[in-house]
Amino acid sequence: MDSENFKQHLKKYLSNENIDKLITSLNDKQKYSCIIIDEEKIDKETIKKIYPTLIEHPFVKNAFLYDKELELGKSLLFEIGAFYILEPCSILVSHFLNPQKDDLILDIAAAPGGKSIHTSFLMKNKGQIISNEISSSRVEILSSNVEKYGRKNISVISTDTKTLKNQFPNTFTKIILDAPCSGSGMFRKDINMKEDWTYNKVLSCATLQKELIIDAYSLLAEGGEMIYSTCSYSYEEDEEVVQYLLNNTDAILLDIPSFNGEYRSSLNKTVHLLPFLYQGEGHYIAKIKKPNTLKKINFPQNKNKYNLDGEIFINNKNELFLTNLLLSFKNIRVLRNGIKIGTIDKKLGLIYDHAYARFLQNNLSKVDLSKEETINFIYGLTLNKTIPDGYVNLTYLNIPFALGKVSKNQIKNHYPKGLRKKLLHY
C-alpha cells in the first residue's frame, strides 16, 4: 500500500489529527466480534446465562459483542443456528434499514449472507428477501448460510443489476446495497486488502458503485427506502457516490439517527464508522428514500396443501421449496426459494431435506436431545432412544437442527456427512 497516497486521499473529509488516529488504530487488532441471536429460537436471558461475558449492544436489538478469544464460531449453538456472527459495524446496516414483516427486500450483493440473515431475524421469517450475489462461488456460500439458519423468507439468486432492473423496476420496498469496494475498512482483518490497496482501485470501485446505486434506485418502489454502505474509508466511494445519486435522480437523503461513536462529514446525514471511535473495523452508511407513497405488498395468507403457511415452488429437479412470496425470475439462476422441504420421488413420495429440519415451524415430530447427545449426533453417531419408529426432527434447547430416522429404538444419523464435525466447546 502507498501509505502517503492513502493519507492524502483521506483529507477530503478527515483532519490531520483524525487521519493520524485512524492510521494508528489500523495497527491495533480488533478485539471484539458480534453475534445476532434469532429470538424465535433463543432468548436474551438464555444466551447470557450460557455466555455470561457477552456485552449487550447499546441500541441494536438482540446483538451482543464478545471477545474473539471465546471462539463462538466453534460452538454448539452457532452450529445449530441459534445466532449469526457479524462484524460489529455490519449489524448497523439491517438495524437502520428497519425492515418490517410486510416488506419485499432486495439485498443486491449479499454474500456471505450476514445482512440478509440479520434482516430475516428482524422480520421473524415474514415478508420476503431476495438475496442476490453475482459471483458464482460466493453465491454458494450465501445459499449454504441461508439453509443453515432455516430462512423461509429468503430466496437466493445470482445475476447482475441490469437484469434485475429490467424485470423488477420500482418493485422492492427496501433495498440493501453493500457495494463492492476497495476494502480499506478491512485492513485489520485481511492483510491482503491492505497490500492490494491503491488509489486507482478506489476510483475504479467508485465508477462501479455509481452504476450500482443508480440501478438499485431504479429497483426501489416509490416510497421505498434503501441503505447504501461500504467497508471503505474513501470519500470517493462513500459521499461522492451518494451525491452522484442525489444529483441524477429524485432521491431523498434520510438522516441516520445519531449514536455514540459515529463520525459525520459534510454530507452529514450519513455516517462513517471509524475504529478509533466505534468498536469495529470500518464502515460507511447512508439511507435513501424514493418519493411518493409506498404501496403495500400482498402476501398469500392461506395454508398450502402441505398445511404450511406460504407458497410452494417445485423446480425441474422435483425439489420442493416453501417461501412467503414467489417472484417470477426469467433467465436468472435461482439457488433456493426459501426453505427446501425435500425432493419428490415417484416411488417413495416426499423425501425430507436437512434444510427443512432447520425450519422452526416445520410439521415434523420433535425430539429434544441433551447437550452430549446433540454433540454426538453432529459428530455422526447413532443415538439410542425409546421412541416410535419414523422420521423425527431433532432439537437442542428446542432449537431444530437435524433429521433422524428412528428404527428399533435407534435414531439413525441423517446429518449431512459434509457437515459432521467434532465441536470443541458449548
Side-chain angles (χ1 to χ4, degrees):
M1 180 183 78
D2 184 344
S3 298
E4 285 307 313
N5 219 356
F6 181 68
K7 288 182 181 180
Q8 190 66 31
H9 101 290
L10 293 174
K11 291 183 178 181
K12 282 195 172 183
Y13 74 104
L14 289 175
S15 67
N16 287 332
E17 180 184 1
N18 281 330
I19 291 171
D20 289 340
K21 287 179 180 178
L22 176 59
I23 298 297
T24 299
S25 69
L26 295 181
N27 294 320
D28 299 329
K29 202 166 186 179
Q30 169 66 0
K31 183 179 180 182
Y32 292 98
S33 192
C34 187
I35 65 168
I36 302 287
I37 63 169
D38 181 352
E39 66 175 336
E40 291 192 287
K41 294 180 178 179
I42 194 166
D43 57 49
K44 292 196 294 184
E45 288 69 29
T46 301
I47 200 77
K48 285 191 288 186
K49 284 179 183 177
I50 296 170
Y51 304 118
T53 59
L54 291 177
I55 303 167
E56 193 163 355
H57 195 278
F59 61 88
V60 177
K61 182 181 179 183
N62 296 323
F64 297 86
L65 295 171
Y66 73 93
D67 192 312
K68 286 184 175 182
E69 291 184 0
L70 195 55
E71 293 188 305
L72 291 185
K74 298 177 181 178
S75 69
L76 173 58
L77 290 181
F78 177 70
E79 174 64 24
I80 66 174
F83 57 79
Y84 193 93
I85 297 175
L86 267 173
E87 199 278 320
C89 293
S90 297
I91 65 172
L92 299 191
V93 171
S94 297
H95 171 76
F96 288 128
L97 184 70
N98 191 28
Q100 303 299 309
K101 294 180 182 179
D102 58 353
D103 271 322
L104 173 58
I105 297 175
L106 173 65
D107 188 353
I108 288 178
K115 295 175 181 67
S116 285
I117 290 167
H118 182 194
T119 302
S120 178
F121 285 176
L122 292 171
M123 297 166 76
K124 295 188 176 180
N125 238 344
K126 303 294 185 181
Q128 191 70 31
I129 302 168
I130 308 301
S131 294
N132 177 65
E133 175 56 52
I134 192 170
S135 166
S136 58
S137 57
R138 285 169 57 80
V139 77
E140 296 288 350
I141 298 170
L142 168 62
S143 186
S144 295
N145 280 330
V146 169
E147 175 180 302
K148 174 179 178 178
Y149 288 90
R151 308 326 293 171
K152 171 191 172 190
N153 70 341
I154 299 180
S155 295
V156 177
I157 65 171
S158 184
T159 190
D160 55 66
T161 53
K162 297 291 186 283
T163 300
L164 283 171
K165 76 174 188 177
N166 288 335
Q167 293 187 34
F168 302 105
N170 304 302
T171 296
F172 298 94
T173 61
K174 288 188 171 76
I175 290 176
I176 298 171
L177 174 55
D178 188 45
C181 67
S182 62
S184 49
M186 304 300 287
F187 280 0
R188 296 193 300 180
K189 190 175 181 180
D190 186 351
I191 188 64
N192 292 325
M193 297 298 291
K194 188 173 184 178
E195 293 175 350
D196 189 49
W197 189 92
T198 65
Y199 187 61
N200 283 336
K201 184 178 180 182
V202 169
L203 297 179
S204 177
C205 287
T207 299
L208 173 61
Q209 290 155 354
K210 288 172 183 176
E211 293 178 9
L212 290 175
I213 201 169
I214 294 292
D215 286 350
Y217 189 71
S218 73
L219 288 155
L220 190 63
E222 292 187 355
E225 296 176 353
M226 175 172 74
I227 292 285
Y228 173 79
S229 63
T230 75
C231 56
S232 169
Y233 300 125
S234 300
Y235 193 89
E236 294 86 342
E237 298 180 74
D238 298 337
E239 286 91 342
E240 288 186 6
V241 173
V242 173
Q243 192 63 58
Y244 179 81
L245 175 70
L246 299 176
N247 292 345
N248 289 280
T249 68
D250 58 357
I252 301 167
L253 187 61
L254 300 178
D255 196 3
I256 297 289
S258 184
F259 58 94
N260 288 335
E262 66 177 32
Y263 182 89
R264 298 189 185 233
S265 68
S266 56
L267 200 62
N268 62 9
K269 291 184 178 182
T270 71
V271 296
H272 285 272
L273 303 173
L274 305 173
F276 66 91
L277 294 173
Y278 183 85
Q279 187 64 255
E281 297 295 348
H283 229 72
Y284 173 79
I285 304 173
K287 191 170 185 178
I288 296 137
K289 182 174 181 176
K290 184 175 280 191
N292 294 326
T293 303
L294 185 66
K295 292 181 181 179
K296 186 177 180 180
I297 303 291
N298 292 316
F299 288 86
Q301 299 298 320
N302 299 326
K303 289 189 180 294
N304 54 53
K305 68 177 184 178
Y306 294 93
N307 200 32
L308 295 165
D309 294 323
E311 294 195 282
I312 291 294
F313 173 77
I314 302 174
N315 65 18
N316 57 10
K317 298 178 182 177
N318 279 331
E319 295 171 327
L320 181 69
F321 290 84
L322 173 72
T323 197
N324 293 325
L325 183 68
L326 281 173
L327 299 187
S328 179
F329 299 108
K330 298 176 182 177
N331 299 316
I332 291 175
R333 184 186 175 199
V334 180
L335 282 80
R336 63 189 320 109
N337 262 317
I339 286 288
K340 183 180 177 182
I341 298 177
T343 303
I344 301 171
D345 185 273
K346 291 181 179 179
K347 294 182 179 179
L348 301 176
L350 178 59
I351 302 171
Y352 289 117
D353 190 84
H354 172 71
Y356 189 52
R358 293 296 179 108
F359 177 46
L360 190 63
Q361 287 80 26
N362 70 49
N363 52 14
L364 300 171
S365 298
K366 306 291 192 294
V367 176
D368 203 46
L369 302 181
S370 68
K371 179 176 70 173
E372 183 180 2
E373 288 173 328
T374 303
I375 290 172
N376 286 339
F377 196 83
I378 290 171
Y379 186 53
L381 301 182
T382 295
L383 302 179
N384 295 317
K385 282 277 186 184
T386 307
I387 53 177
D389 288 358
Y391 280 99
V392 291
N393 188 188
L394 302 177
T395 67
Y396 174 62
L397 299 179
N398 295 313
I399 300 170
F401 72 91
L403 282 175
K405 187 175 184 180
V406 183
S407 177
K408 298 178 181 178
N409 297 327
Q410 281 194 329
I411 304 178
K412 306 295 184 183
N413 202 304
H414 282 241
Y415 209 72
K417 291 183 179 179
L419 299 178
R420 294 178 186 182
K421 63 187 69 173
K422 191 170 182 65
L423 296 167
L424 296 182
H425 62 82
Y426 186 48

